[in-house]
Amino acid sequence: MPELPEVETTVRGLAPVLEGARLTRVVTHRADLRRPFPPDLAQRLTGARVTTLGRRAKYGLIETDRGDTMVFHLGMSGRWRLDPSEVLPHDHLVIETDSGRRVALNDPRRFGSVDLLESAALAAWGPFAALGPEPLGPDFTPAHLAARFAGRIAPVKALLLDQRIVAGLGNIYVCEALHIAGIAPNRAAGRVATPRLGPLVEAVRMVLTAAIAAGGSSLRDYARPDGELGYFSKDWRVYGREGEACPACAAPVRRRVDGGRSTFFCARCQR
């Protein structure tokens, strides 16, 4: 599933095409993805001008001058295609602009979603209401983690994946950040010493920043809007590298399954 860097890369790829453009045609080619398209999507977006594009957690945001924001989630296999020469069978939403540009939301497995909300009500929308701070924003601090980890016996990895504690972190980048910070993924969050939280926050930011710069990590179904593949997977330290040498100490990288997710770590470096 595309994670925060992939969604951020997608939003940045869409911005040169959509930002400031007036939408002249909005067409859905089926009734639903994971849930139905908003019934008035075409009516409310056609003729609107896109003012800004952004991201919240793993959702992309396309805001218009009519006070509406289209919120999209890429699900398991979704991606936007820029200026497709033809509409493919899985291009379920196609948007055209006054400059002759076209973008298509392609989602073969249809686990993605599209919602249309009043921009002023966005923060109170169900999926956003309980979200924690953005990991690249100013509110994600060692003090924030200390407060949320205090007294918790749940593994630190599980709490970093909890969207109520920090928004948008996914399995790949949590594994990578914990390795950089030298923290065992199964350590009780409440037993992570306070002086270690600063390096953990910096590790999260460093991993995400590097992944965004690399265009994300191309997984089975993900590609950037321009069709190029993200190449951060070439820089993974532990994720997907079971049995390979840890880049810090050369001990073999281990893999464990936690809550249905693979956890990759170095038992020597991470304590």
Side-chain angles (χ1 to χ4, degrees), residues 39-262:
D40 55 354
L41 183 70
Q43 177 184 350
R44 287 167 65 182
L45 289 184
T46 302
R49 187 175 297 279
V50 175
T51 54
T52 58
L53 284 88
R55 177 194 53 76
R56 179 68 169 119
K58 300 177 187 179
Y59 291 84
L61 311 175
I62 301 175
E63 186 173 354
T64 75
D65 61 356
R66 292 181 178 174
D68 294 323
T69 296
M70 190 180 86
V71 183
F72 67 85
H73 193 287
L74 297 175
M76 298 292 292
S77 61
R79 72 181 185 95
W80 287 92
R81 302 198 305 128
L82 300 186
D83 297 317
S85 58
E86 60 178 337
V87 176
L88 300 179
H90 297 298
D91 288 340
H92 304 307
L93 171 63
V94 178
I95 298 174
E96 298 178 2
T97 76
D98 56 354
S99 63
R101 306 293 299 271
R102 179 164 66 170
V103 296
L105 179 59
N106 184 280
D107 189 355
R109 300 172 70 183
R110 301 199 307 275
F111 282 106
S113 63
V114 171
D115 295 278
L116 189 61
L117 307 165
E118 292 184 6
S119 302
L122 203 58
W125 183 49
F128 287 177
L131 286 177
E134 288 287 325
L136 294 174
D139 295 329
F140 180 58
T141 63
H144 170 73
L145 287 185
R148 299 307 298 269
F149 285 2
R152 301 292 299 272
I153 62 172
V156 61
K157 183 192 173 194
L159 293 196
L160 289 174
L161 290 173
D162 186 335
Q163 302 297 291
R164 296 168 297 181
I165 292 176
V166 54
L169 289 186
N171 194 41
I172 293 172
Y173 301 105
V174 170
C175 285
E176 292 292 292
L178 286 171
H179 181 261
I180 292 171
I183 298 173
N186 63 337
R187 174 175 284 275
R191 297 190 63 188
V192 178
T194 301
R196 306 185 75 186
L197 296 179
L200 176 57
V201 166
E202 290 306 312
V204 168
R205 289 178 172 154
M206 182 174 71
V207 166
L208 294 179
T209 300
I212 291 168
S217 300
S218 287
L219 308 178
R220 179 172 55 192
D221 297 305
Y222 169 76
R224 289 149 52 180
D226 60 7
E228 295 296 319
L229 300 178
Y231 55 87
F232 186 68
S233 56
K234 296 178 181 178
D235 295 325
W236 287 346
R237 298 165 63 92
V238 290
Y239 190 85
R241 300 197 181 281
E242 181 183 10
E244 297 182 26
C246 166
C249 73
V253 172
R254 297 187 184 181
R255 173 182 173 269
R256 185 179 61 240
V257 177
D258 298 314
R261 295 186 177 99
S262 291

